[in-house]
Amino acid sequence: MKNRLRQLREERNLTQLKVSMDLFLNQNSISRYESGAREASYDLLIRFADYYNVSIDYILFRTNNPEINE
């Protein structure tokens, strides 16, 4: 998960500060999630997936397809 979150953020040219402000989180928290020092809760995984418009499976490396299948 750690590298995928960083990858998604960088692909969109976003800073950790911008993501933290948009998701109402602390910038240090974003850094810890991206580095793997901290694991996201289920609720936060949903927020990340919605924010980046990708599936949770994509964030968790269960697929390389970012599309959301409904």
Side-chain angles (χ1 to χ4, degrees):
M1 177 178 71
K2 62 182 181 179
N3 292 328
R4 187 77 82 187
L5 290 175
R6 178 174 287 144
Q7 172 193 340
L8 288 165
R9 180 179 58 77
E10 289 176 348
E11 286 174 353
R12 289 158 177 78
N13 295 315
L14 299 170
T15 64
Q16 287 181 348
L17 180 59
K18 171 70 171 143
V19 174
S20 68
M21 290 171 54
D22 289 346
L23 295 178
F24 303 102
L25 297 169
N26 183 300
Q27 183 179 354
N28 281 340
S29 294
I30 299 297
S31 177
R32 288 183 183 122
Y33 293 126
E34 288 186 359
S35 70
R38 189 173 195 184
E39 295 212 5
S41 67
Y42 182 72
D43 291 335
L44 187 53
L45 280 174
I46 292 171
R47 288 172 60 194
F48 278 128
D50 288 347
Y51 183 76
Y52 290 118
N53 196 33
V54 298
S55 69
I56 292 173
D57 284 342
Y58 184 72
I59 292 174
L60 296 176
F61 286 97
R62 294 190 61 193
T63 182
N64 287 323
N65 180 4
E67 300 289 318
I68 300 170
N69 297 320
E70 295 184 16

